[in-house]
C-alpha cells in the first residue's frame, strides 16, 4: 500500500526565485545536495545528499510549468544507509502560488512505501525549511 504526504510552506521570495532552487543545480545544491539535472520533461534529476549516509536520489522530470508547477519522479540508488525505494519509484509534485509577500509552496509526494512515510515526511520538512531560508536570503540580495 502506498502513501502520500503533503506539506505547505510560505516562503518570502517570489515564485521565480523559488523555481530556480529546483531547476538550477547550483541553487539546488544550497539546500538539498550536489545536483546534476536537465530541467525539461524527461530530463534527469540526481541529488547527492549533503547529510546522513549521503544517499543519492535519482529521478526524472515529468512536468515543468515555469514558476508554477514541477513534477519529478523520486527514488534512491541502492547504497548502504539509503531508504529502500528504487530510483523513479515515487512522484513529487511542487506547486508555487504567489501569496502576498512571497510564495506558497505545496509539495505532494505520492507512491511512498508505508514504512517510509514518517521518514520521508520528516526529511521534506527539514529540507523545505532549508529551502525557505535559502530562497529568502537570495531574494534579499
Amino acid at each position: 500500500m502506498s502513501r502520500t504526504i503533503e506539506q505547505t510552506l510560505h516562503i518570502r521570495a517570489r515564485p521565480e526565485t523559488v523555481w530556480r532552487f529546483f531547476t538550477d543545480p547550483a541553487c539546488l545544491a544550497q539546500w538539498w545536495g550536489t545536483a546534476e539535472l536537465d530541467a525539461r520533461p524527461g530530463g534527469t534529476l540526481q541529488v547527492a545528499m549533503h547529510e546522513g549516509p549521503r544517499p543519492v536520489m535519482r529521478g526524472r522530470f515529468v512536468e515543468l510549468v515555469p514558476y508554477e508547477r514541477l513534477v519529478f519522479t523520486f527514488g534512491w540508488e541502492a547504497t548502504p544507509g539509503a531508504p529502500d525505494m528504487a530510483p523513479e519509484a515515487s512522484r513529487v509534485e511542487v506547486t508555487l502560488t504567489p501569496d502576498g509577500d512571497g510564495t506558497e509552496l505545496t509539495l505532494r509526494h505520492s507512491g511512498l512505501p508505508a514504512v517510509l512515510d514518517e521518514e520521508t515526511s520528516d526529511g521534506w520538512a527539514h529540507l523545505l525549511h532549508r529551502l525557505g531560508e535559502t530562497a529568502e536570503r537570495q531574494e534579499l540580495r
Side-chain angles (χ1 to χ4, degrees):
M1 181 171 174
S2 69
R3 306 282 182 121
T4 298
I5 60 169
E6 184 171 313
Q7 297 184 12
T8 301
L9 174 70
H10 179 81
I11 301 173
R12 289 184 312 268
R14 294 168 296 132
E16 295 83 357
T17 300
V18 178
W19 176 264
R20 283 196 314 270
F21 283 90
F22 282 95
T23 59
D24 178 302
C27 292
L28 195 143
Q30 293 177 45
W31 67 277
W32 191 355
T34 304
E36 294 179 24
L37 61 88
D38 180 7
R40 63 181 174 84
T44 59
L45 173 61
Q46 180 174 308
V47 182
M49 303 287 291
H50 290 311
E51 299 173 346
R54 303 180 66 83
V56 175
M57 190 291 294
R58 291 187 55 190
R60 210 168 271 290
F61 286 99
V62 176
E63 178 183 354
L64 294 103
V65 179
Y67 319 126
E68 294 177 18
R69 174 178 160 84
L70 57 97
V71 179
F72 56 93
T73 59
F74 183 106
W76 300 100
E77 286 186 358
T79 55
D84 187 17
M85 183 170 50
E88 300 189 46
S90 63
R91 179 180 172 107
V92 176
E93 301 172 33
V94 177
T95 304
L96 306 174
T97 306
D99 182 32
D101 65 344
T103 303
E104 180 177 280
L105 180 151
T106 301
L107 179 140
R108 276 180 56 93
H109 192 155
S110 59
L112 291 167
V115 298
L116 293 179
D117 187 29
E118 187 174 338
E119 178 182 349
T120 303
S121 184
D122 291 348
W124 277 121
H126 172 73
L127 287 170
L128 292 177
H129 177 76
R130 286 179 42 182
L131 166 62
E133 290 180 339
T134 305
E136 288 172 5
R137 279 194 307 272
Q138 180 72 30
E139 189 76 2
L140 295 174
R141 291 183 184 170

